[in-house]
Amino acid sequence: MTTRPIAVVGASAAGLAAAEALRRFGWTGPLTLIGDEPHLPYDRPPLSKQLLHGTWEPERLLLRTAGQLDPLGLDLRLGTRATGLDAATRTLTLDGGERLTCAGVIIATGVAARALPGAEHLAGVHTLRTLDDALALRDRLTGPERRLVIVGNGVLGCEAAAVARELGHEVTLVGRDPVPMARALGAEVGTLLAEEHRAHGVRLLTADVDGFDTAASAGAEAAQVTAVRLTDGTRIPADSVLLAIGSDPAVQWLDDPALDTVDGLRCDAYCAAAPGIYAAGDVARWDHPVHGRPLRFEHRTNATEQGMAAARNLLAELAAETVPAEPSDPAADGAPAPQRRPFAPVPYFWSDQYDIKIQAYGLTADADRAETIVLDHGARRTVTLYGRDGTATGIVATGLPPRQVRALRAVIATPLPWEEARERVGAAITPG
């Protein structure tokens, strides 16, 4: 048995799924899970919804308790950051200077929230990526300050706006796109969301941010934000500001020239970035075998599925290596050896805003054609088909029951000619 571990970098949903899959598929050797946050692996989607609202506490976000992790036999390194990787030797460098030479590495470091120049040290200006971020913003929203400006009208900004309005705050949502979530969902669904947010009292503005006004705060080290300045000179009074302007893959620590880190860690169809080096989750940009091009998804379902796929494919690669006893022998306990398989999921994401559930399958961004069927405008029940170059690539449903949503997933699982997909959508949403 080798003494070299498999290391999973990123104690995230993807990282935890990878670690659990490694054990399930037969790895009995050392297994190290490295996370830069001090918290046990937790679920991120509730950060901008239930946790921010206050209906959930942090313990409910845990993906596994400490007791549930014990059977995995992990070398758990929380509050530890990976600072380098030598891909040829599969050697990780950690922030304390320790070097860890591994049998294999799975990278699941996710993404980091973007900020704006000048916002880094201002009191009242927040990002929302980590549990600590969410708790800090929640503390602000439970105080007497009632004016929240959200910069960025994508998924995160819209979800936070809905929560803040439900809590009774005055909310201004500022975005570059003319309607919310336009890049992901297009103009028609974005217009529906705009109507919903306005109906709940959110002020929507299309603008760029130029900077912030501040004031000294007695007894505080940092200046307090008092307003957001737009490029047209408008000033929006603010007690708190949320920057929801997107994220960047957490690849800065990967400085090995053998690794392609343009827009995430570039991988093949098996999620491999180099021999023995795999990636999963928000950080991975891999060759999707169905869509025929490299894709990267920042979606919760993809994180879990890709973590499992990366684990399976890494073990299959190790099993094929000629170094004696490099992996544990999955066949020793009667389990079949895993086989490398391309990772070909049907992309999926969801968003909850007010009483609307938005569910999307396939590829909706960068479509050159979209058609929306409004089933019930008052109830916000719609289906939108998206396509490119004559092929249907994605579908979005709002307010539909689970049975119909499952039928729509089947329509888009494999790209179809537009008219054929359109007919199948019609059949899926026809009563009876």
Side-chain angles (χ1 to χ4, degrees), residues 69 74 81 145 147 163 178 188 222 232 237 268 309 320 327 380 404:
L69 290 175
L74 297 175
R81 187 180 299 273
E145 300 86 359
R147 300 172 300 180
V163 168
E188 290 185 87
D232 64 2
D268 63 15
R380 305 298 196 217
Q404 287 185 327

Side-chain angles (χ1 to χ4, degrees), residues 243-262:
L243 302 180
I245 54 175
S247 56
D248 295 308
V251 294
Q252 296 82 359
W253 62 283
L254 295 170
D255 55 2
D256 190 320
L259 301 174
D260 179 351
T261 57
V262 177

Side-chain angles (χ1 to χ4, degrees), residues 227-305:
V228 176
R229 296 195 311 271
L230 306 183
T231 52
D232 64 2
T234 300
R235 281 175 163 77
I236 309 171
D239 302 305
S240 301
V241 175
L242 171 61
L243 302 180
I245 54 175
S247 56
D248 295 308
V251 294
Q252 296 82 359
W253 62 283
L254 295 170
D255 55 2
D256 190 320
L259 301 174
D260 179 351
T261 57
V262 177
D263 187 28
L265 181 57
R266 183 74 161 84
C267 301
D268 63 15
Y270 301 93
C271 308
I277 309 294
Y278 286 71
D282 298 359
V283 74
R285 182 169 64 95
W286 89 104
D287 292 329
H288 196 294
V290 174
H291 293 284
R293 59 189 176 96
L295 298 173
R296 188 173 68 83
F297 297 129
E298 297 182 20
H299 304 318
R300 174 64 175 84
T301 303
N302 183 74
T304 298
E305 293 176 349

Side-chain angles (χ1 to χ4, degrees), residues 154-155 177 180-187 189 299 349 360 363-367 386 396:
V155 178
D177 295 319
M181 294 178 61
R183 298 183 189 186
L185 303 180
V189 180
H299 304 318
F349 81 88
L363 306 182
T364 59
D366 301 322
Y386 300 79
V396 169

Side-chain angles (χ1 to χ4, degrees), residues 42-423:
Y42 61 86
D43 214 9
R44 293 189 191 274
L47 294 179
S48 59
K49 298 184 277 288
Q50 294 93 336
L51 186 89
L52 189 61
H53 198 286
T55 54
W56 287 14
E57 292 303 319
E59 294 75 18
R60 191 165 176 180
L61 272 64
L62 291 180
L63 295 170
R64 301 289 183 271
T65 64
Q68 290 169 332
L69 290 175
D70 283 343
L72 295 177
L74 297 175
D75 174 15
L76 186 59
R77 310 284 191 95
L78 298 178
T80 301
R81 187 180 299 273
T83 59
L85 172 63
D86 184 319
T89 62
R90 305 174 195 175
T91 299
L92 285 165
T93 302
L94 307 183
D95 53 7
E98 180 182 359
R99 292 171 64 82
L100 195 64
T101 300
C102 304
V105 178
I106 296 176
I107 296 168
T109 46
V111 296
R114 292 176 186 155
L116 288 174
E120 297 86 350
H121 305 295
L122 295 182
V125 177
H126 301 262
T127 55
L128 184 49
R129 172 63 189 172
T130 68
L131 175 58
D132 292 340
D133 291 340
L135 290 174
L137 180 57
R138 187 171 82 170
D139 285 345
R140 296 285 300 190
L141 296 182
T142 57
E145 300 86 359
R146 311 303 294 176
R147 300 172 300 180
L148 173 66
V149 176
I150 300 174
V151 183
N153 59 358
V155 178
L156 179 63
C158 289
E159 290 180 349
V163 168
R165 280 302 299 143
E166 289 171 351
L167 293 173
H169 293 271
E170 177 184 318
V171 178
T172 302
L173 184 60
V174 181
R176 290 182 172 179
D177 295 319
V179 294
M181 294 178 61
R183 298 183 189 186
L185 303 180
E188 290 185 87
V189 180
T191 298
L192 179 148
L193 288 177
E195 293 174 359
E196 189 71 9
H197 279 284
R198 289 193 180 100
H200 282 83
V202 177
R203 180 188 182 193
L204 303 180
L205 296 177
T206 304
D208 281 318
V209 171
D210 183 54
F212 306 92
D213 289 349
T214 62
S217 181
E221 296 181 4
Q224 168 65 45
V225 67
T226 59
V228 176
R229 296 195 311 271
L230 306 183
T231 52
D232 64 2
T234 300
R235 281 175 163 77
I236 309 171
D239 302 305
S240 301
V241 175
L242 171 61
L243 302 180
I245 54 175
S247 56
D248 295 308
V251 294
Q252 296 82 359
W253 62 283
L254 295 170
D255 55 2
D256 190 320
L259 301 174
D260 179 351
T261 57
V262 177
D263 187 28
L265 181 57
R266 183 74 161 84
C267 301
D268 63 15
Y270 301 93
C271 308
I277 309 294
Y278 286 71
D282 298 359
V283 74
R285 182 169 64 95
W286 89 104
D287 292 329
H288 196 294
V290 174
H291 293 284
R293 59 189 176 96
L295 298 173
R296 188 173 68 83
F297 297 129
E298 297 182 20
H299 304 318
R300 174 64 175 84
T301 303
N302 183 74
T304 298
E305 293 176 349
Q306 196 164 26
M308 292 188 290
R312 180 186 60 244
N313 289 339
L314 170 59
L315 286 185
E317 179 183 329
L318 295 181
E321 290 184 346
T322 57
V323 179
E326 191 60 45
S328 59
D329 182 3
D333 59 3
Q339 300 296 313
R340 269 172 48 104
R341 296 200 298 267
F343 181 56
V346 178
Y348 170 74
F349 81 88
W350 80 94
S351 176
D352 296 320
Q353 297 171 39
Y354 309 109
D355 294 327
I356 299 178
K357 177 174 283 293
I358 304 164
Q359 298 184 78
Y361 290 101
L363 306 182
T364 59
D366 301 322
D368 61 18
R369 185 175 184 179
E371 182 177 340
T372 298
I373 302 170
V374 178
L375 303 175
D376 186 333
H377 191 278
R380 305 298 196 217
R381 293 178 59 241
T382 67
V383 175
T384 304
L385 184 65
Y386 300 79
R388 189 165 188 84
D389 299 328
T391 299
T393 59
I395 201 159
V396 169
T398 65
L400 262 63
R403 177 185 60 81
Q404 287 185 327
V405 172
R406 287 193 295 270
L408 292 171
R409 180 192 185 279
V411 171
I412 211 65
T414 302
L416 295 172
W418 178 267
E419 291 303 328
E420 180 180 350
R422 190 176 183 280
E423 290 178 5

